[in-house]
Amino acid sequence: MLDGRYELVAHLASGGMGAVFQARHIHLRKDVAVKVLRPELAASPDLVERFRREAEIASALEHDNIVRVTDFGRSEEGLLFLAMELLTGESLFDRLRRERALPPVRAVGLLFQVCAGLQAAHGLGVVHRDLKPENVFLARTPGGREVVKLLDFGIAKFARGPGDTATQVGVVVGTPEYLSPEQAMGLPVDCRADVYTVGLIAFRMLTGRHPFPAESPRDLLLKQASCPVQPLAEASPDLAAWPALCAAVELACRKDPAERPPSAAALGELLAASLGPAFVAPPGATPALGPASAPVRRPPPQVDPTLSLSLPVAPAALPYRRALRLTLWTTGIAALVALSLLGFRAWRARPLQEARELIGSGRAAEAVSSLQAALQADPGRRDLELLRARALLGLPGKAGEALEAYAAAQASGPLELDDYRALVPLLGEERSLADRAARLLRAAPPAAVPAVAEAAGAGSGVQRLRAVTMLRDMGAEDAVDRVAAYGALLADADCDVRRAAARRLGELGDPAALPALRAAAGARAERRWLISSAAKGPACGAAEAGEAVRRIQSANP
């Protein structure tokens, strides 16, 4: 029970700042979603202010395409929470991860709703500044309709005009992959920063990839600040059949704010018009876009309704271009990039540090949840996937998931020796797990050889046999004393292990194995029958050992 009003029914998701639960308001008998700030973060004034700001801004934005926030408070235990409408569906990020790209008609239908929600925010002077596929939720109504809901206004700001100092100039805020050029350079922003971000999201939806591959954080910030976005028709030739759509997205992605559509409303109308009769406005959930009302700092150029790709450059854009070119090649931009790089690195390092602290305190399950949320926000990060694999391997019944995570991490390079050592004990597990672990180990010679060689002399007989057999498959059987390794298995409790070891020693043909093989061939074991007393007979594996002796002697007369 939270604050005596909300009964937490189920856990929905976890992230870096907290967790989201399905809850029931006990007085109103209504289901809601409740976001709870992590208790240890409540001591940070900045994070508490961001949490409060999200509640303040979102509660003021009443629109079908923005998640409705209904309550904000602090429980008697000191937990900060935010109550909002309960949504059913998935994020745009999850949709794109599953489908990679969307056809133009579907993509524009969703983007139109994104623009409608942004226009409502911009009309109240609110700039989102952190729009990304993770913050675009595709909610499913009881009637089966899909409605876009914009989430997370935690770093949104009120655009108060040129004198606004709510965000210090030079401070970069937002997710690097979806920053506008103004944000990348720490310059003041208005609603056209969100318009640029919608253009990047549109590019991702239509082509299946981000326009700027992130070779390094510095390259990413410089590209956001100065590099033009590749034309859609070049990135995906199939889109050349939609020239008006390509032109609309390219306008949104212009580096100079003055060259972009002046508002989210204008961009939404351009996108809708680009489909012609194929566009059908979503019924009910999204009313028609109204006139542009968000504040701008200088008059924008008029957009030709024919969406010509060769629009004239507005005179107001020329000083900005000269200033941008000069800024990018001065020591000032170098210092700004350096500061941004430090912030970007700190942002990327935070999930790792939090997960390591959780693992160190024995809370591996919480670490796994935290890392999964971080991977949703930053997919493909090898360091996050590797730490997730290590955490999963320490949890009961999670070995299969750990192997999947290790496979994802190994796809971009060999694992560390300690990771291979952690995988080796799985060779002694049931066959499916052992085979999957073996595939990971075989895929990385010589990096995995030392760990496999260590396993050939320790652990269960099954594990040791599989390890030394794997060394043979990896062409590294000489990494161990083969006669000693297989000879030690001749007395193992597992009959199949003894037989396999004897057969392999016969194949090797080394006379040094004869003493151990003769002992195994002469071993006898007690056998009990249903209607007679116990009797001694050849032990399991004795026949294979005898055959190995004969084979070696015939090869070495």
Side-chain angles (χ1 to χ4, degrees):
M1 189 67 68
L2 186 66
D3 201 32
R5 291 177 291 156
Y6 296 102
E7 179 185 3
L8 303 187
V9 177
H11 172 262
L12 299 178
S14 293
M17 290 187 64
V20 180
F21 299 90
Q22 179 180 346
R24 170 155 285 243
H25 195 297
I26 61 172
H27 302 305
L28 300 179
R29 300 294 179 185
K30 180 180 180 180
D31 287 335
V32 295
V34 173
K35 180 191 285 189
V36 182
L37 186 68
R38 287 171 49 184
E40 60 268 32
L41 301 182
S44 169
D46 290 341
L47 292 177
V48 171
E49 172 58 22
R50 172 176 171 175
F51 203 68
R52 184 204 63 78
R53 188 179 185 87
E54 180 179 1
E56 175 190 0
I57 293 176
S59 64
L61 300 175
E62 288 289 334
H63 192 271
D64 286 335
N65 296 121
I66 298 176
V67 64
R68 286 185 173 84
V69 171
T70 58
D71 197 4
F72 172 72
R74 186 189 293 267
S75 71
E76 294 180 357
E77 299 83 8
L79 294 173
L80 283 169
F81 67 91
L82 190 69
M84 63 192 79
E85 64 177 313
L86 181 64
L87 302 176
T88 301
E90 64 180 345
S91 69
L92 178 59
F93 175 86
D94 291 331
R95 175 72 57 83
L96 294 176
R97 183 168 58 175
R98 187 177 70 251
E99 299 187 19
R100 190 172 178 271
L102 302 181
V105 173
R106 284 175 57 199
V108 169
L110 299 176
L111 290 166
F112 183 82
Q113 296 181 68
V114 170
C115 290
L118 284 176
Q119 181 62 24
H122 295 166
L124 294 178
V126 175
V127 184
H128 193 291
R129 299 199 302 173
D130 195 26
L131 197 64
K132 52 189 174 182
E134 293 91 326
N135 289 338
V136 177
F137 195 86
L138 309 180
R140 184 69 61 181
T141 68
R145 236 177 348 100
E146 195 167 68
V147 180
V148 167
K149 297 282 186 176
L150 302 185
L151 311 177
D152 196 359
F153 283 79
I155 66 168
K157 66 171 289 183
F158 287 100
R160 300 182 179 91
D164 180 22
T165 57
T167 299
Q168 183 180 358
V169 174
V171 177
V172 177
V173 294
T175 301
E177 287 82 353
Y178 293 95
L179 286 176
S180 67
E182 307 93 277
Q183 290 171 275
M185 294 188 292
L187 300 176
V189 301
D190 59 27
C191 67
R192 293 169 295 180
D194 286 344
V195 169
Y196 178 88
T197 300
V198 175
L200 294 187
I201 293 174
F203 188 101
R204 169 69 181 85
M205 293 172 72
L206 292 164
T207 67
R209 64 175 178 85
H210 191 277
F212 298 132
E215 294 88 353
S216 71
R218 180 178 182 275
D219 286 343
L220 179 58
L221 288 170
L222 284 173
K223 286 178 178 179
Q224 292 286 31
S226 60
C227 291
V229 174
Q230 183 184 17
L232 275 178
E234 291 182 10
S236 180
D238 291 345
L239 294 173
W242 303 85
L245 175 59
C246 294
V249 174
E250 288 163 27
L251 279 176
C253 293
R254 294 286 175 88
K255 294 299 175 181
D256 185 353
E259 296 181 19
R260 300 173 202 152
S263 68
L267 176 59
E269 295 293 357
L270 288 175
L271 291 169
S274 73
L275 297 186
F279 176 76
V280 178
T286 308
L289 292 168
S293 57
V296 294
R297 290 183 169 81
R298 61 178 182 270
Q302 296 299 312
V303 180
D304 186 347
T306 63
L307 293 169
S308 169
L309 283 172
S310 58
L311 289 172
V313 177
L318 297 177
Y320 178 91
R321 282 187 167 178
R322 287 195 293 268
L324 176 60
R325 192 175 296 111
L326 177 63
T327 303
L328 286 173
W329 297 105
T330 60
T331 56
I333 191 62
L336 178 60
V337 169
L339 289 173
S340 301
L341 179 58
L342 290 175
F344 184 74
R345 285 176 175 170
W347 170 76
R348 286 176 63 87
R350 190 185 309 129
L352 282 173
Q353 183 62 33
E354 291 174 352
R356 289 191 181 108
E357 291 174 359
L358 289 170
I359 294 171
S361 61
R363 299 153 66 190
E366 294 180 48
V368 169
S369 297
S370 176
L371 288 165
Q372 286 173 336
L375 281 165
Q376 288 183 346
D378 195 5
R381 273 190 60 181
R382 186 173 187 271
D383 51 358
L384 293 175
E385 197 70 76
L386 197 53
L387 188 57
R388 177 172 168 267
R390 294 165 183 165
L392 283 166
L393 201 58
L395 294 173
K398 296 294 184 180
E401 293 181 44
L403 288 170
E404 291 178 5
Y406 270 127
Q410 194 181 54
S412 57
L415 307 179
E416 297 179 12
L417 180 58
D418 285 344
D419 292 305
Y420 290 124
R421 284 175 174 149
L423 288 171
V424 159
L426 296 179
L427 295 176
E429 297 294 333
E430 55 96 11
R431 174 62 67 178
S432 64
L433 285 178
D435 288 346
R436 291 165 66 188
R439 281 196 293 271
L440 290 175
L441 292 165
R442 286 195 192 96
V449 167
V452 180
E454 292 171 7
S460 68
V462 172
Q463 176 183 316
R464 285 183 286 151
L465 177 64
R466 287 175 177 169
V468 73
T469 302
M470 185 179 304
L471 288 173
R472 179 184 62 186
D473 297 341
M474 297 165 75
E477 200 173 17
D478 290 337
V480 296
D481 184 338
R482 296 177 293 179
V483 170
Y486 285 109
L489 295 173
L490 292 173
D492 192 79
D494 190 314
C495 181
D496 290 336
V497 170
R498 295 200 298 271
R499 288 169 172 164
R503 285 193 291 266
R504 180 57 181 155
L505 285 171
E507 293 169 0
L508 291 173
D510 192 333
L514 286 173
L517 284 169
R518 288 189 178 114
R524 299 180 69 78
E526 187 175 82
R527 298 180 179 178
R528 293 186 177 275
W529 308 95
L530 290 176
I531 60 175
S532 64
S533 59
K536 291 265 186 179
C540 179
E544 287 79 3
E547 176 59 27
V549 170
R550 290 188 290 274
R551 184 173 181 178
I552 293 173
Q553 287 177 336
S554 64
N556 299 276

